[in-house]
Amino acid sequence: MVLILAGRGDASSEAVGLGLAQRGCPVVRASAADLALAKWYHAEGEGTRVVLPDGTPLDDGRIGAVLNRLEGPDLPQFARAPAEDRDYAAAEFAALLASWLNGLSDRGVPVANPPGSDDAWSAALHPLGWHALAVAHRLRVGDFAVASSVRGGVCRGLERVGAGDWPSGCDVAGWYRTAPGRGAVRRVWVFGADCGGLEAGLATRCTAFVRALGLRYAALDFVEERGGLRLIEVVARPPLDDAALAGRCVRWLSAALEGAR
């Protein structure tokens, strides 16, 4: 079976789930709340068994592939708990989920995408990390700087990475990178070894880069500049509700499921 983890109403997971079902692939969908309310069993040497609130069992041995589109915890049983208790429960639940999904991945089950070390809900690295990894895979990126001060124009010509504004006149350290050019953003999709729309050498480097990030699929955003394509963003949980993209994901997961069999 293919296990799809996503919030209710996630159009991407619905499109992929429908495509898999039309191919005859067994599909089970579960939300973060479903997993939080489920019954969990684990025995050494026997793996993990999860029984969802509706009675559906999820045994490690039956799961052939996982599409993970969860974006954060949903713990209905802690809805009225104090904030510190909710935070603690969310951290514990994230650790449990990460352990389970990474355990499946370690056993050879394709998990797209497993939780990462930087964020329990996303496998993508901090921008500084993926910039460095992209350079190691001979992908063109802009300069990246860690600034301890924004005074004196030290960050002139650079854009700040990450959300959040500071009060006017406040001197705050931050991460900065070269602002992308004015060219149109070109999004390239990677599903396993499938990376269409690029010349062969660049496509191979992109798929190797995505694997090195710990991802099974991703969207890579490039801008066209004088020196060629420059990578400006990695999207670890891109939308898949476009019919063509959902179809590519379905074919890739179907192949992974056949490989698991």
Side-chain angles (χ1 to χ4, degrees), residues 5 14 39 50 54-55 79 81 114 116-117 141 143 153 164 166 168 171 186 202 235 243 254 258:
L5 304 178
E14 290 176 358
K39 296 178 181 179
V50 181
D54 65 359
S117 56
V141 297
D143 295 332
W166 49 75
S168 177
D171 187 24
R186 179 178 177 184
L202 180 56
V235 185
S254 298
E258 288 300 317

Side-chain angles (χ1 to χ4, degrees), residues 91-190:
E92 289 295 308
F93 178 67
L96 172 65
L97 182 64
S99 175
W100 180 47
L101 293 180
N102 287 321
L104 288 172
S105 185
D106 290 343
R107 293 174 58 182
V109 176
V111 178
N113 284 314
S117 56
D118 284 9
D119 182 348
W121 299 97
S122 174
L125 294 172
H126 183 280
L128 179 61
W130 72 247
H131 273 72
L133 200 57
V135 171
H137 285 80
R138 295 183 294 120
L139 297 177
R140 188 168 176 269
V141 297
D143 295 332
F144 205 96
V146 182
S148 59
S149 173
V150 296
R151 295 174 182 169
V154 66
C155 297
R156 186 174 292 118
L158 302 177
E159 67 172 10
R160 186 168 186 254
V161 175
D165 297 323
W166 49 75
S168 177
C170 180
D171 187 24
V172 179
W175 308 84
Y176 294 82
R177 67 179 177 185
T178 308
R182 295 186 177 181
V185 175
R186 179 178 177 184
R187 175 158 287 189
V188 173
W189 300 82
V190 177

Side-chain angles (χ1 to χ4, degrees), residues 16-247:
V16 173
L18 178 61
L20 288 168
Q22 290 173 341
R23 283 175 167 251
C25 296
V27 177
V28 172
R29 295 186 62 194
S31 67
D34 291 332
L35 294 175
L37 296 172
K39 296 178 181 179
W40 292 71
Y41 306 90
H42 181 80
E44 192 67 32
E46 297 181 12
T48 300
R49 186 172 191 262
V50 181
V51 180
L52 298 177
D54 65 359
T56 301
L58 301 176
D59 296 299
D60 284 0
R62 293 185 59 235
I63 299 173
V66 179
L67 178 64
N68 174 29
R69 296 188 56 82
L70 296 178
E71 296 183 351
D74 185 0
L75 306 173
Q77 63 270 56
F78 287 91
R80 297 185 180 181
E84 59 269 23
D85 291 342
R86 290 199 306 271
D87 291 344
Y88 178 79
E92 289 295 308
F93 178 67
L96 172 65
L97 182 64
S99 175
W100 180 47
L101 293 180
N102 287 321
L104 288 172
S105 185
D106 290 343
R107 293 174 58 182
V109 176
V111 178
N113 284 314
S117 56
D118 284 9
D119 182 348
W121 299 97
S122 174
L125 294 172
H126 183 280
L128 179 61
W130 72 247
H131 273 72
L133 200 57
V135 171
H137 285 80
R138 295 183 294 120
L139 297 177
R140 188 168 176 269
V141 297
D143 295 332
F144 205 96
V146 182
S148 59
S149 173
V150 296
R151 295 174 182 169
V154 66
C155 297
R156 186 174 292 118
L158 302 177
E159 67 172 10
R160 186 168 186 254
V161 175
D165 297 323
W166 49 75
S168 177
C170 180
D171 187 24
V172 179
W175 308 84
Y176 294 82
R177 67 179 177 185
T178 308
R182 295 186 177 181
V185 175
R186 179 178 177 184
R187 175 158 287 189
V188 173
W189 300 82
V190 177
F191 295 93
D194 172 21
C195 178
L198 296 176
E199 57 90 10
L202 180 56
T204 298
R205 297 199 299 276
C206 285
T207 55
F209 167 63
V210 169
R211 283 197 306 272
L213 284 171
L215 303 176
R216 295 279 186 160
Y217 80 109
L220 306 179
D221 287 345
F222 292 87
V223 291
E224 182 75 48
E225 295 183 340
R226 202 176 311 175
L229 290 176
R230 171 155 74 97
L231 180 64
I232 62 168
E233 196 59 78
V234 176
V235 185
R237 195 179 290 104
L240 301 171
D241 43 342
D242 174 86
L245 291 172

